[in-house]
Amino acid sequence: QEKAAQEEAEQEFASLDIFGADDVNDVAGGIPLFRDFQHEDWTLMNLVFELNLLVHAFTHDVADPERPGVHVNHLGFYYKKYFGKELRPKDFGVETEKELVSLAGDKVLYFTAKDVLASQLDGEYESPAIFP
């Protein structure tokens, strides 16, 4: 019976709509959504989270409508300023900051027509669980 329940949970997990999950720690019979995450997945998720924070913190700190965000040419500088560590695209297997942001897809972060980093997420949110 336990084996049948486990197989049912596996089938439910395989056909899961991640956007409909209420609890990422239990999406199908006790299976966490991140069950198969590898080191690279956690690292990329952390980068997306930090870049999103950078977008909103910079906008809040500067509070200048003429400076809507961080330009791609200054991304490394402000990343180090806010997080105290270097942003090295080569660590992620890409050459430029634009390629680095594109690794996250266009779900959360993107560059505007003027090459300013932007986020599709609101600056205020209830839970960090919205990050992929």
Side-chain angles (χ1 to χ4, degrees), residues 61-85:
D61 292 347
V62 172
D64 181 357
E66 292 184 19
R67 297 183 70 201
V70 179
H71 190 273
V72 66
N73 294 341
H74 304 284
L75 187 56
F77 173 81
Y78 284 108
Y79 186 86
K80 183 170 184 170
K81 190 103 172 136
Y82 277 81
F83 298 107
K85 56 187 176 182

mmCIF file of all heavy atoms in Angstrom, residues 61-85:
data_model
loop_
_atom_site.group_PDB
_atom_site.id
_atom_site.type_symbol
_atom_site.label_atom_id
_atom_site.label_comp_id
_atom_site.label_asym_id
_atom_site.label_seq_id
_atom_site.Cartn_x
_atom_site.Cartn_y
_atom_site.Cartn_z
ATOM 1 N N ASP A 61 16.724 53.556 -3.265
ATOM 2 C CA ASP A 61 17.816 54.360 -2.716
ATOM 3 C C ASP A 61 18.055 55.632 -3.522
ATOM 4 O O ASP A 61 18.312 56.692 -2.960
ATOM 5 C CB ASP A 61 19.112 53.551 -2.658
ATOM 6 C CG ASP A 61 19.047 52.421 -1.651
ATOM 7 O OD1 ASP A 61 18.112 52.404 -0.823
ATOM 8 O OD2 ASP A 61 19.925 51.535 -1.699
ATOM 9 N N VAL A 62 17.977 55.529 -4.840
ATOM 10 C CA VAL A 62 18.252 56.680 -5.699
ATOM 11 C C VAL A 62 17.067 57.638 -5.728
ATOM 12 O O VAL A 62 17.237 58.852 -5.674
ATOM 13 C CB VAL A 62 18.619 56.223 -7.131
ATOM 14 C CG1 VAL A 62 18.712 57.398 -8.076
ATOM 15 C CG2 VAL A 62 19.928 55.460 -7.108
ATOM 16 N N ALA A 63 15.869 57.100 -5.820
ATOM 17 C CA ALA A 63 14.629 57.897 -5.827
ATOM 18 C C ALA A 63 14.706 59.076 -6.805
ATOM 19 O O ALA A 63 14.355 60.197 -6.467
ATOM 20 C CB ALA A 63 14.290 58.371 -4.421
ATOM 21 N N ASP A 64 15.185 58.788 -8.007
ATOM 22 C CA ASP A 64 15.329 59.815 -9.032
ATOM 23 C C ASP A 64 14.693 59.292 -10.324
ATOM 24 O O ASP A 64 15.171 58.309 -10.883
ATOM 25 C CB ASP A 64 16.812 60.116 -9.254
ATOM 26 C CG ASP A 64 17.065 61.192 -10.291
ATOM 27 O OD1 ASP A 64 16.105 61.698 -10.902
ATOM 28 O OD2 ASP A 64 18.252 61.531 -10.485
ATOM 29 N N PRO A 65 13.635 59.923 -10.790
ATOM 30 C CA PRO A 65 12.969 59.445 -12.002
ATOM 31 C C PRO A 65 13.863 59.457 -13.247
ATOM 32 O O PRO A 65 13.604 58.745 -14.205
ATOM 33 C CB PRO A 65 11.775 60.389 -12.186
ATOM 34 C CG PRO A 65 11.944 61.481 -11.213
ATOM 35 C CD PRO A 65 12.987 61.095 -10.218
ATOM 36 N N GLU A 66 14.931 60.248 -13.219
ATOM 37 C CA GLU A 66 15.853 60.273 -14.348
ATOM 38 C C GLU A 66 16.831 59.103 -14.322
ATOM 39 O O GLU A 66 17.556 58.885 -15.284
ATOM 40 C CB GLU A 66 16.609 61.600 -14.378
ATOM 41 C CG GLU A 66 15.707 62.780 -14.707
ATOM 42 C CD GLU A 66 16.478 64.081 -14.842
ATOM 43 O OE1 GLU A 66 17.704 64.045 -15.040
ATOM 44 O OE2 GLU A 66 15.832 65.133 -14.739
ATOM 45 N N ARG A 67 16.883 58.371 -13.215
ATOM 46 C CA ARG A 67 17.739 57.183 -13.090
ATOM 47 C C ARG A 67 16.838 56.009 -12.720
ATOM 48 O O ARG A 67 16.723 55.636 -11.562
ATOM 49 C CB ARG A 67 18.797 57.420 -12.021
ATOM 50 C CG ARG A 67 19.724 58.568 -12.421
ATOM 51 C CD ARG A 67 20.816 58.799 -11.438
ATOM 52 N NE ARG A 67 21.757 57.690 -11.490
ATOM 53 C CZ ARG A 67 22.595 57.391 -10.511
ATOM 54 N NH1 ARG A 67 22.612 58.119 -9.418
ATOM 55 N NH2 ARG A 67 23.429 56.395 -10.617
ATOM 56 N N PRO A 68 16.198 55.405 -13.707
ATOM 57 C CA PRO A 68 15.184 54.375 -13.448
ATOM 58 C C PRO A 68 15.733 53.036 -12.969
ATOM 59 O O PRO A 68 14.981 52.177 -12.530
ATOM 60 C CB PRO A 68 14.501 54.212 -14.806
ATOM 61 C CG PRO A 68 15.556 54.579 -15.797
ATOM 62 C CD PRO A 68 16.357 55.665 -15.135
ATOM 63 N N GLY A 69 17.051 52.854 -13.057
ATOM 64 C CA GLY A 69 17.611 51.584 -12.627
ATOM 65 C C GLY A 69 19.084 51.489 -12.974
ATOM 66 O O GLY A 69 19.721 52.475 -13.349
ATOM 67 N N VAL A 70 19.600 50.279 -12.880
ATOM 68 C CA VAL A 70 21.016 50.030 -13.112
ATOM 69 C C VAL A 70 21.241 49.704 -14.589
ATOM 70 O O VAL A 70 20.658 48.751 -15.110
ATOM 71 C CB VAL A 70 21.516 48.866 -12.233
ATOM 72 C CG1 VAL A 70 22.987 48.590 -12.489
ATOM 73 C CG2 VAL A 70 21.280 49.154 -10.762
ATOM 74 N N HIS A 71 22.080 50.477 -15.239
ATOM 75 C CA HIS A 71 22.435 50.218 -16.635
ATOM 76 C C HIS A 71 23.349 49.002 -16.683
ATOM 77 O O HIS A 71 24.110 48.748 -15.750
ATOM 78 C CB HIS A 71 23.133 51.445 -17.242
ATOM 79 C CG HIS A 71 23.315 51.351 -18.705
ATOM 80 N ND1 HIS A 71 24.415 50.740 -19.277
ATOM 81 C CD2 HIS A 71 22.536 51.767 -19.740
ATOM 82 C CE1 HIS A 71 24.313 50.794 -20.584
ATOM 83 N NE2 HIS A 71 23.174 51.416 -20.896
ATOM 84 N N VAL A 72 23.282 48.261 -17.770
ATOM 85 C CA VAL A 72 24.079 47.040 -17.921
ATOM 86 C C VAL A 72 25.571 47.310 -17.705
ATOM 87 O O VAL A 72 26.269 46.464 -17.136
ATOM 88 C CB VAL A 72 23.810 46.352 -19.281
ATOM 89 C CG1 VAL A 72 24.291 47.208 -20.436
ATOM 90 C CG2 VAL A 72 24.446 44.974 -19.341
ATOM 91 N N ASN A 73 26.052 48.471 -18.110
ATOM 92 C CA ASN A 73 27.475 48.791 -17.951
ATOM 93 C C ASN A 73 27.878 48.998 -16.493
ATOM 94 O O ASN A 73 29.062 48.963 -16.172
ATOM 95 C CB ASN A 73 27.835 50.049 -18.750
ATOM 96 C CG ASN A 73 27.712 49.834 -20.240
ATOM 97 O OD1 ASN A 73 27.696 48.709 -20.727
ATOM 98 N ND2 ASN A 73 27.602 50.925 -20.972
ATOM 99 N N HIS A 74 26.912 49.237 -15.620
ATOM 100 C CA HIS A 74 27.193 49.489 -14.205
ATOM 101 C C HIS A 74 26.711 48.354 -13.299
ATOM 102 O O HIS A 74 26.812 48.457 -12.074
ATOM 103 C CB HIS A 74 26.539 50.801 -13.760
ATOM 104 C CG HIS A 74 26.954 51.966 -14.593
ATOM 105 N ND1 HIS A 74 28.173 52.580 -14.470
ATOM 106 C CD2 HIS A 74 26.302 52.617 -15.584
ATOM 107 C CE1 HIS A 74 28.267 53.555 -15.347
ATOM 108 N NE2 HIS A 74 27.142 53.610 -16.041
ATOM 109 N N LEU A 75 26.220 47.301 -13.902
ATOM 110 C CA LEU A 75 25.641 46.199 -13.120
ATOM 111 C C LEU A 75 26.659 45.571 -12.172
ATOM 112 O O LEU A 75 26.372 45.357 -10.994
ATOM 113 C CB LEU A 75 25.052 45.144 -14.061
ATOM 114 C CG LEU A 75 24.267 44.018 -13.423
ATOM 115 C CD1 LEU A 75 23.121 44.555 -12.576
ATOM 116 C CD2 LEU A 75 23.736 43.084 -14.492
ATOM 117 N N GLY A 76 27.856 45.297 -12.660
ATOM 118 C CA GLY A 76 28.897 44.703 -11.812
ATOM 119 C C GLY A 76 29.260 45.586 -10.633
ATOM 120 O O GLY A 76 29.426 45.118 -9.506
ATOM 121 N N PHE A 77 29.371 46.891 -10.879
ATOM 122 C CA PHE A 77 29.718 47.836 -9.823
ATOM 123 C C PHE A 77 28.666 47.833 -8.724
ATOM 124 O O PHE A 77 28.996 47.725 -7.532
ATOM 125 C CB PHE A 77 29.877 49.247 -10.401
ATOM 126 C CG PHE A 77 30.068 50.298 -9.346
ATOM 127 C CD1 PHE A 77 31.310 50.496 -8.787
ATOM 128 C CD2 PHE A 77 28.995 51.073 -8.915
ATOM 129 C CE1 PHE A 77 31.493 51.463 -7.801
ATOM 130 C CE2 PHE A 77 29.167 52.038 -7.932
ATOM 131 C CZ PHE A 77 30.418 52.235 -7.369
ATOM 132 N N TYR A 78 27.393 47.981 -9.102
ATOM 133 C CA TYR A 78 26.339 48.056 -8.085
ATOM 134 C C TYR A 78 26.081 46.706 -7.421
ATOM 135 O O TYR A 78 25.726 46.660 -6.242
ATOM 136 C CB TYR A 78 25.055 48.643 -8.677
ATOM 137 C CG TYR A 78 25.163 50.134 -8.860
ATOM 138 C CD1 TYR A 78 25.280 50.691 -10.122
ATOM 139 C CD2 TYR A 78 25.199 50.985 -7.765
ATOM 140 C CE1 TYR A 78 25.411 52.069 -10.288
ATOM 141 C CE2 TYR A 78 25.337 52.356 -7.918
ATOM 142 C CZ TYR A 78 25.442 52.880 -9.181
ATOM 143 O OH TYR A 78 25.584 54.231 -9.329
ATOM 144 N N TYR A 79 26.288 45.630 -8.140
ATOM 145 C CA TYR A 79 26.158 44.304 -7.520
ATOM 146 C C TYR A 79 27.177 44.178 -6.392
ATOM 147 O O TYR A 79 26.856 43.733 -5.294
ATOM 148 C CB TYR A 79 26.356 43.208 -8.569
ATOM 149 C CG TYR A 79 26.109 41.824 -8.045
ATOM 150 C CD1 TYR A 79 24.832 41.285 -8.028
ATOM 151 C CD2 TYR A 79 27.155 41.039 -7.566
ATOM 152 C CE1 TYR A 79 24.598 40.006 -7.543
ATOM 153 C CE2 TYR A 79 26.939 39.767 -7.083
ATOM 154 C CZ TYR A 79 25.655 39.254 -7.074
ATOM 155 O OH TYR A 79 25.435 37.985 -6.591
ATOM 156 N N LYS A 80 28.419 44.589 -6.659
ATOM 157 C CA LYS A 80 29.450 44.518 -5.623
ATOM 158 C C LYS A 80 29.131 45.477 -4.480
ATOM 159 O O LYS A 80 29.330 45.166 -3.308
ATOM 160 C CB LYS A 80 30.823 44.830 -6.207
ATOM 161 C CG LYS A 80 31.912 44.687 -5.175
ATOM 162 C CD LYS A 80 33.283 44.748 -5.753
ATOM 163 C CE LYS A 80 34.278 44.499 -4.617
ATOM 164 N NZ LYS A 80 35.605 44.301 -5.087
ATOM 165 N N LYS A 81 28.624 46.640 -4.809
ATOM 166 C CA LYS A 81 28.288 47.644 -3.792
ATOM 167 C C LYS A 81 27.194 47.127 -2.852
ATOM 168 O O LYS A 81 27.278 47.313 -1.640
ATOM 169 C CB LYS A 81 27.811 48.921 -4.496
ATOM 170 C CG LYS A 81 27.660 50.094 -3.618
ATOM 171 C CD LYS A 81 28.840 50.993 -3.829
ATOM 172 C CE LYS A 81 28.660 52.291 -3.113
ATOM 173 N NZ LYS A 81 29.882 52.658 -2.427
ATOM 174 N N TYR A 82 26.187 46.482 -3.408
ATOM 175 C CA TYR A 82 25.053 46.021 -2.606
ATOM 176 C C TYR A 82 25.307 44.674 -1.926
ATOM 177 O O TYR A 82 24.807 44.437 -0.831
ATOM 178 C CB TYR A 82 23.790 45.932 -3.463
ATOM 179 C CG TYR A 82 23.080 47.253 -3.612
ATOM 180 C CD1 TYR A 82 23.503 48.193 -4.537
ATOM 181 C CD2 TYR A 82 21.982 47.575 -2.830
ATOM 182 C CE1 TYR A 82 22.859 49.414 -4.677
ATOM 183 C CE2 TYR A 82 21.328 48.792 -2.954
ATOM 184 C CZ TYR A 82 21.782 49.706 -3.887
ATOM 185 O OH TYR A 82 21.138 50.908 -4.008
ATOM 186 N N PHE A 83 26.041 43.790 -2.580
ATOM 187 C CA PHE A 83 26.188 42.440 -2.038
ATOM 188 C C PHE A 83 27.599 42.093 -1.580
ATOM 189 O O PHE A 83 27.817 41.015 -1.028
ATOM 190 C CB PHE A 83 25.697 41.401 -3.060
ATOM 191 C CG PHE A 83 24.243 41.569 -3.380
ATOM 192 C CD1 PHE A 83 23.848 42.082 -4.609
ATOM 193 C CD2 PHE A 83 23.267 41.243 -2.457
ATOM 194 C CE1 PHE A 83 22.516 42.259 -4.901
ATOM 195 C CE2 PHE A 83 21.930 41.420 -2.742
ATOM 196 C CZ PHE A 83 21.553 41.929 -3.966
ATOM 197 N N GLY A 84 28.549 42.986 -1.816
ATOM 198 C CA GLY A 84 29.902 42.768 -1.331
ATOM 199 C C GLY A 84 30.641 41.632 -2.012
ATOM 200 O O GLY A 84 31.571 41.064 -1.439
ATOM 201 N N LYS A 85 30.242 41.288 -3.224
ATOM 202 C CA LYS A 85 30.934 40.236 -3.971
ATOM 203 C C LYS A 85 30.873 40.565 -5.455
ATOM 204 O O LYS A 85 30.008 41.313 -5.900
ATOM 205 C CB LYS A 85 30.318 38.867 -3.695
ATOM 206 C CG LYS A 85 28.838 38.759 -3.967
ATOM 207 C CD LYS A 85 28.288 37.422 -3.500
ATOM 208 C CE LYS A 85 26.787 37.362 -3.699
ATOM 209 N NZ LYS A 85 26.219 36.122 -3.227
#
